[in-house]
Amino acid sequence: MTPIEVLVPKAEAQAAATAARSVDGVQMAVVGRDDADPAVVDVLPTDETVDSSGTVVVDAVRVAVEDAVSGDVGITGAGATVEDYFTAVYDKFPYVLALIAAVTFLLLVRTFRSVLLPIKAVLLNLVSLAAVFGVVVFFWQEGHGSELIFGVSATGAITFWLPVVIFAFLFGLSMDYEVFILARMREEDDATGDTSAAVITGLGRTGRLVTSAALILFFAFAALASAPGTDIKVLGTALGVGILIDATIIRALLVPALVSLFGRYNWWLPVWLARIVRVEPSPLDPRPQSP
């Protein structure tokens, strides 16, 4: 039960309750307290208002009450909190994501002296995050395995603050692995001019480090998932699965495969972009590549 609490002028409390009852998705609306000004009207929705679809009822109640009373109207409760969070965070998230991607791209251009590698790093990070959110929805929200492993039935929704926290943790951790591997590949290519050899040496020199770091983090997040709170379990499993996906499928398979596929174009940085980021340009290497 996630009641909506509506604050209205004392004289208009009954009118507000009547207006709230007329909203689809509301099963009850009563004046909970009218001995103070403003008065409180308790509105009980039919379904929980804990996700983006449930907050539609909150909006409808707000509009109905504002049309019915002439004074100020305040809305609070779980649904209003979720709606405010969505407005403050998720409505602006595309801009935040674009800013993070742009800053990450520029920093990686300076690090790798490349155009293609930073683009690939950002895109693969987003692919990894999308896979993690898919696993979270499948496992927790739809309940495929959550009750078997943790004794928790399908949650039906993911707590509104979790996706942002998961994104922040995994984006940073995933980029660390990317820098470890590709920096070593870049060093080897500068020395030999052979992309295939750079991939082999880069993985050989950094593979154990990345695998060990990933295992340490995985077990730490697995321990976090043993906490009693469901939200902490979701966070721990999401981070643990994300680390495994990133260290195996993304960094051990896709990254070296794409670097090998793109060959000498991995290391290309035009003069005009090099001037902007204040590093040495990296023209296409004319030396032949090994198969």
Side-chain angles (χ1 to χ4, degrees):
M1 297 174 65
T2 53
I4 305 166
E5 296 178 341
V6 183
L7 278 68
V8 295
K10 179 179 178 180
E12 300 181 281
Q14 289 297 338
T18 301
R21 288 190 204 104
S22 67
V23 174
D24 290 337
V26 171
Q27 58 177 309
M28 182 187 301
V30 296
V31 179
R33 179 181 176 184
D34 60 0
D35 59 347
D37 199 5
V40 178
V41 177
D42 293 318
V43 180
L44 187 64
T46 304
D47 299 317
E48 290 181 308
T49 56
V50 295
D51 56 16
S52 54
S53 60
T55 57
V56 173
V57 177
V58 179
D59 277 335
V61 169
R62 178 185 286 110
V63 171
V65 174
E66 287 177 346
D67 290 342
V69 304
S70 57
D72 294 333
V73 176
I75 304 289
T76 185
T81 300
V82 171
E83 186 180 39
D84 289 345
Y85 189 90
F86 279 16
T87 301
V89 177
Y90 290 111
D91 287 356
K92 299 178 178 62
F93 189 72
Y95 305 106
V96 175
L97 182 60
L99 178 61
I100 292 173
V103 172
T104 302
F105 171 77
L106 291 175
L107 292 175
L108 292 182
V109 167
R110 284 186 54 87
T111 301
F112 300 137
R113 292 173 44 238
S114 167
V115 174
L116 195 58
L117 291 180
I119 294 175
K120 178 182 62 61
V122 173
L123 291 179
L124 286 182
N125 259 26
L126 296 180
V127 169
S128 177
L129 285 165
V132 171
F133 288 132
V135 170
V136 169
V137 170
F138 182 81
F139 185 83
W140 287 107
Q141 184 168 320
E142 298 179 357
H144 298 289
S146 61
E147 188 163 12
L148 177 65
I149 298 176
F150 293 103
V152 178
S153 58
T155 60
I158 301 302
T159 305
F160 56 90
W161 55 267
L162 278 171
V164 175
V165 176
I166 293 169
F167 169 82
F169 270 95
L170 288 183
F171 193 90
L173 292 173
S174 299
M175 198 56 68
D176 283 347
Y177 297 149
E178 186 86 11
V179 172
F180 288 156
I181 297 172
L182 291 181
R184 187 65 186 86
M185 291 182 184
R186 172 84 232 202
E187 292 174 0
E188 191 65 22
D189 185 81
D190 286 341
T192 65
D194 191 327
T195 300
S196 296
V199 170
I200 295 171
T201 302
L203 280 181
R205 297 292 178 85
T206 61
R208 288 186 291 271
L209 173 64
V210 170
T211 301
S212 299
L215 286 175
I216 291 171
L217 288 173
F218 172 76
F219 286 119
F221 293 139
L224 184 65
S226 66
T230 300
D231 287 345
I232 302 302
K233 290 181 183 295
V234 175
L235 178 62
T237 52
L239 296 180
V241 170
I243 290 297
L244 287 184
I245 291 175
D246 196 78
T248 55
I249 299 175
I250 302 297
R251 308 305 165 198
L253 296 177
L254 291 181
V255 168
L258 290 174
V259 172
S260 298
L261 178 65
F262 295 138
R264 69 187 68 192
Y265 295 99
N266 289 291
W267 325 111
W268 173 65
L269 180 65
V271 175
W272 64 269
L273 183 55
R275 289 174 180 169
I276 294 175
V277 297
R278 304 173 67 88
V279 295
E280 290 292 326
S282 180
L284 287 177
D285 195 332
R287 289 174 290 184
Q289 304 285 303
S290 62

